């Protein structure tokens, strides 16, 4: 219950904010970055060169992509701190599962733009998350401040599994943790900052009354399988 | 069109419709919190994409509230990064008040603490109930009530001083 004087303040606030102009509706959603003024043919050549370069790099790195998650003292310290934070925050009967294997790009202690790993409580999802980030991606048409981090996210919670969005489609299963874990992928979208096409990869399962999620972008099934099978309890 | 494609299209439309409905209130709420217009636009676009990626079928109290919390988090993250990485002189230029500062109540609002601003904006601009505000901001309902009372009293004092 508000008094008349309080109501006056609230009314003044609402009137002031109602006068704030909105951006045109065309700018409310911007999933696809407008790419450039270059000719389409030039764009096609650049895109082809980019794809070839990325494919070559991936092929070169694939053989040793999955490696033990213990590369440097800085990373180990940050990794231990993040998982101990989760362990301390969760009830003792919740199994906190930590990956022993990580893709090579997530084995670094991160950068100021993309700190890694970090642990945080997610109020909305009611989960504790540990997020690994790799170096910032800056697309050919984007500014450095608009870089985006590649993420690999582990979530642990006590809640019952929520309904998975129908926009995610099942792309495979992983036999691990004594169950069959369904792997889902989102529709491909263009990263609005970098212009790079990406798709969300998401998997979840319940175990001993707790809820576990892994979400990331673009990881393939063998990599995800290796990660899930490497999960170990944090003591 | 396959059944899956229909589901995906329907899901997207549903989310986009909810987002567009919430947009004016949340955008203005972000400006009231202290965001610049470009920051508010970016933060809302982030929230839209995040909603698409994670799905909106997770149990949430209020779509408006979810968008507000996610967008304000995105804005604060960007602001923190700017504070860390931008040279002070640049930051000062970017924070120069615009015409908004001429609106006394918004200028007064920006002198409150972040928590007070969040609660006031959530309650009176985004239009969330006390319970929703408490849940979304991760604080007790009593704290929402007390913070609201303190913030309104502070706003009134500030506006009286500036009148």
């Amino acid at each position: 219950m508000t008094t008349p004087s309080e109501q006056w303040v609230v009314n003044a606030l609402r009137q002031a904010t109602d006068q704030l102009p909105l951006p045109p509706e065309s700018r409310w959603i911007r999933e696809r970055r407008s790419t450039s003024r270059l000719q389409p043919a030039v764009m096609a050549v650049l895109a082809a060169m980019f794809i070839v370069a990325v494919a070559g790099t991936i092929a070169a790195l694939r053989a040793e992509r999955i490696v033990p998650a213990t590369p440097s003292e800085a990373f180990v310290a940050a990794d231990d701190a993040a998982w101990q934070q989760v362990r301390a925050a969760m009830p003792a009967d919740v199994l906190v599962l930590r990956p022993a294997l990580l893709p090579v790009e997530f084995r670094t202690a991160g950068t100021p733009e993309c700190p890694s790993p970090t642990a945080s409580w997610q109020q909305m999802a009611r989960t504790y998350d540990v997020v690994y980030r790799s170096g910032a991606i800056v697309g050919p048409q984007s500014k450095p401040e608009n870089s985006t981090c590649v993420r690999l996210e582990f979530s642990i919670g006590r809640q019952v599994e929520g309904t998975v969005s129908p926009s995610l489609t099942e792309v495979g299963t992983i036999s691990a943790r004594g169950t069959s874990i369904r792997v889902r992928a989102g529709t491909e979208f263009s990263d609005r900052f970098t212009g790079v096409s990406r798709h969300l990869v998401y998997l979840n399962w319940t175990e001993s009354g707790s809820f576990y999620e892994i979400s990331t972008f673009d990881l393939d099934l063998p990599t995800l399988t290796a990660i899930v099978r490497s999960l170990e309890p944090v003591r | 069109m396959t059944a899956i494609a229909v589901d995906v299209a329907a899901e997207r439309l549903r989310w986009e419709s909810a987002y567009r409905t919430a947009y004016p209130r949340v955008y203005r709420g972000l400006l009231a919190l202290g965001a610049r217009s470009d920051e508010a636009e970016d933060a809302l676009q982030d929230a839209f994409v995040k909603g698409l990626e994670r799905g909106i079928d997770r149990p949430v109290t209020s779509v408006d509230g979810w968008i507000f919390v996610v967008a304000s988090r995105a804005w604060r993250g960007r602001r923190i990064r700017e504070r860390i990485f931008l040279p002070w002189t640049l930051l000062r230029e970017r924070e120069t008040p615009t015409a908004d500062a001429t609106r006394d109540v918004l200028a007064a609002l920006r002198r409150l603490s972040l928590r007070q601003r969040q609660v006031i904006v959530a309650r009176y601009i985004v239009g969330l109930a006390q319970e929703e505000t408490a849940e979304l901001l991760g604080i007790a309902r009593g704290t929402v009530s007390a913070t609201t009372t303190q913030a309104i009293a502070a706003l009134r004092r500030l506006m009286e001083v500036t009148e």
Side-chain angles (χ1 to χ4, degrees):
Chain A
M1 196 72 181
T2 54
T3 64
S5 66
E6 288 168 345
Q7 192 58 49
W8 176 81
V9 174
V10 171
N11 288 343
L13 185 63
R14 284 179 175 151
Q15 282 171 12
T17 50
D18 283 347
Q19 290 168 15
L20 295 172
L22 294 171
E25 283 202 39
S26 59
R27 293 217 308 261
W28 290 12
I29 294 173
R30 190 178 59 210
E31 281 177 89
R32 289 187 178 277
R33 189 179 183 82
S34 63
T35 46
S36 79
R37 300 184 184 89
L38 293 177
Q39 294 296 321
V42 176
M43 286 300 296
V45 170
L46 288 176
M49 289 170 62
F50 178 73
I51 289 168
V52 169
V54 169
T57 306
I58 289 172
L61 293 176
R62 181 170 292 276
E64 54 184 48
R65 195 166 134 69
I66 297 288
V67 293
T70 53
S72 71
E73 286 184 12
F75 176 83
V76 171
D79 200 34
D80 285 344
W83 285 104
Q84 286 305 328
Q85 185 181 334
V86 179
R87 179 65 282 171
M90 299 303 281
D93 61 325
V94 172
L95 194 62
V96 175
L97 295 172
R98 170 186 185 173
L101 294 177
L102 284 173
V104 67
E105 62 266 32
F106 295 111
R107 283 188 309 139
T108 67
T111 63
E113 295 86 355
C114 300
S116 181
T118 58
S120 61
W121 168 250
Q122 299 299 313
Q123 179 62 27
M124 296 296 306
R126 297 193 176 284
T127 58
Y128 228 107
D129 290 0
V130 173
V131 181
Y132 292 89
R133 299 177 181 84
S134 71
I137 298 172
V138 182
Q141 299 298 323
S142 60
K143 299 173 184 173
E145 63 266 29
N146 285 344
S147 62
T148 188
C149 307
V150 179
R151 296 160 62 95
L152 174 58
E153 189 170 333
F154 295 82
S155 304
I156 302 171
R158 291 295 296 270
Q159 69 173 39
V160 176
E161 176 183 352
T163 308
V164 175
S165 166
S167 65
L168 297 175
T169 53
E170 189 168 330
V171 293
T173 56
I174 295 173
S175 294
R177 314 289 316 163
T179 185
S180 181
I181 299 169
R182 289 192 291 176
V183 180
R184 298 179 175 91
T187 50
E188 192 170 272
F189 68 97
S190 178
D191 187 296
R192 70 187 181 82
F193 285 146
T194 64
V196 175
S197 287
R198 312 174 71 191
H199 68 275
L200 176 77
V201 180
Y202 173 85
L203 52 106
N204 66 2
W205 72 98
T206 53
E207 186 175 337
S208 305
S210 299
F211 173 68
Y212 300 87
E213 277 182 333
I214 299 176
S215 55
T216 184
F217 289 97
D218 305 329
L219 281 189
D220 54 41
L221 200 55
T223 303
L224 282 168
T225 304
I227 293 169
V228 173
R229 288 181 177 166
S230 79
L231 291 170
E232 294 173 348
V234 178
R235 304 292 177 196
Chain B
M1 192 179 260
T2 65
I4 289 174
V6 170
D7 285 348
V8 169
E11 167 68 12
R12 191 204 147 88
L13 281 176
R14 195 160 72 88
W15 173 238
E16 184 172 333
S17 169
Y19 170 83
R20 286 188 180 279
T21 303
Y23 191 99
R25 284 192 299 277
V26 178
Y27 176 83
R28 288 171 169 143
L30 290 173
L31 293 189
L33 273 183
R36 299 190 306 265
S37 56
D38 63 313
E39 290 175 329
E41 281 188 50
D42 274 352
L44 270 158
Q45 287 158 2
D46 280 347
F48 176 75
V49 172
K50 192 156 189 176
L52 271 186
E53 291 169 359
R54 299 290 295 254
I56 57 169
D57 287 335
R58 284 171 176 282
V60 291
T61 312
S62 142
V63 171
D64 291 15
W66 188 91
I67 293 172
F68 171 65
V69 169
V70 171
S72 59
R73 234 179 245 158
W75 163 61
R76 287 179 57 204
R78 174 174 166 169
R79 183 57 69 87
I80 289 167
R81 284 195 298 277
E82 283 189 350
R83 283 187 194 284
I84 294 172
F85 297 113
L86 275 186
W88 164 243
T89 49
L90 260 180
L91 184 62
R92 197 167 53 177
E93 276 175 25
R94 291 162 72 101
E95 285 194 330
T96 300
T98 60
D100 286 349
T102 62
R103 296 185 171 91
D104 288 344
V105 66
L106 292 181
L109 182 68
R110 289 177 189 180
R111 293 176 65 183
L112 304 185
S113 70
L114 177 63
R115 173 63 78 208
Q116 287 177 325
R117 277 181 283 154
Q118 284 176 324
V119 169
I120 289 292
V121 168
R123 295 278 287 112
Y124 298 117
I125 299 178
V126 180
L128 303 183
Q130 225 173 48
E131 294 81 0
E132 292 173 323
T133 306
E135 183 173 349
L136 288 164
L137 295 180
I139 55 180
R141 186 180 165 180
T143 307
V144 173
S145 176
T147 306
T148 304
T149 305
Q150 290 161 5
I152 288 184
L155 274 178
R156 179 154 182 78
R157 281 196 305 275
L158 287 165
M159 290 172 71
E160 284 169 352
V161 167
T162 56
E163 275 170 359

